[in-house]
Amino acid sequence: MANQTKLINFLNQILKNSYDGIKSYKDAARNVEEGAIREFFIDRAKEKLVLIGALKEEIYLLEGIPVEEGSLMNLFSRSWNNFKTSLDHDNAKEISKYCLEEEKKRVEEFGILLRNPELVSEAFFEVLDDQNEKNLAAIKALIEQIKS
């Protein structure tokens, strides 16, 4: 029972981070003018919605209660980032750096579950594996955006 509670708490933390990720990518899309990078941020927000649905389903399957919103600390972090980018002439690059750091954190989180597939259902594992691949692709895309 204690292990199940720990797993539910961990999944809820990922869920909080996913809510925060959607908000971050929506903010990012609002703060850039360039069409392709804006679309990239919008697409990433949509991908996070897929993960949120799967996380909620997995938490319910484990007889837990999913959290319904992101973290207060991330709200402050996003607000600070929005303020910084409003002052920067190259805000697409700064926003990309922020998103890159967040994606790296998600890959680390997902890695714990991907290395221990027996902890979650097969269906959730498949969604998580797919999301991890998309996160890795996003990291590469964000690095290219920062370089250019």
Side-chain angles (χ1 to χ4, degrees):
M1 183 67 169
N3 286 339
Q4 184 171 345
T5 301
K6 285 181 182 179
L7 179 57
I8 290 168
N9 289 339
F10 185 67
L11 292 173
N12 266 322
Q13 184 59 50
I14 294 173
L15 183 56
K16 273 186 192 178
N17 292 338
S18 298
Y19 288 130
D20 292 338
I22 288 174
K23 291 173 187 170
S24 294
Y25 275 119
K26 284 181 178 180
D27 287 350
R30 277 193 298 271
N31 289 324
V32 295
E33 295 178 18
E34 191 177 321
I37 191 72
R38 174 179 282 157
E39 288 302 314
F40 172 80
F41 291 146
I42 291 169
D43 289 344
R44 291 302 300 147
K46 289 176 184 175
E47 285 299 326
K48 301 286 181 191
L49 283 172
V50 172
L51 181 59
I52 284 173
L55 279 161
K56 285 181 173 183
E57 190 174 310
E58 188 70 10
I59 292 167
Y60 282 128
L61 185 67
L62 293 166
E63 300 176 358
I65 299 172
V67 296
E68 293 298 327
E69 58 186 29
S71 68
L72 187 59
M73 284 306 295
N74 190 272
L75 172 64
F76 291 127
S77 177
R78 281 194 330 274
S79 296
W80 173 247
N81 191 55
N82 287 338
F83 175 71
K84 282 191 329 188
T85 57
S86 70
L87 300 176
D88 194 334
H89 69 283
D90 191 8
N91 65 346
K93 186 174 183 176
E94 287 304 311
I95 292 168
S96 295
K97 285 181 183 178
Y98 176 77
C99 292
L100 175 63
E101 291 307 312
E102 292 302 309
E103 289 295 348
K104 286 179 179 178
K105 291 175 189 174
R106 298 306 72 85
V107 168
E108 287 177 26
E109 279 179 341
F110 293 177
I112 293 167
L113 294 173
L114 292 172
R115 288 188 300 274
N116 299 286
E118 70 282 356
L119 294 176
V120 295
S121 69
E122 188 175 323
F124 179 72
F125 184 84
E126 289 175 15
V127 170
L128 190 65
D129 188 42
D130 182 56
Q131 288 291 315
N132 193 56
E133 290 300 317
K134 290 177 180 175
N135 286 1
L136 293 171
I139 287 170
K140 288 178 186 174
L142 288 165
I143 289 171
E144 288 303 313
Q145 171 63 29
I146 292 167
K147 286 180 181 178
S148 63

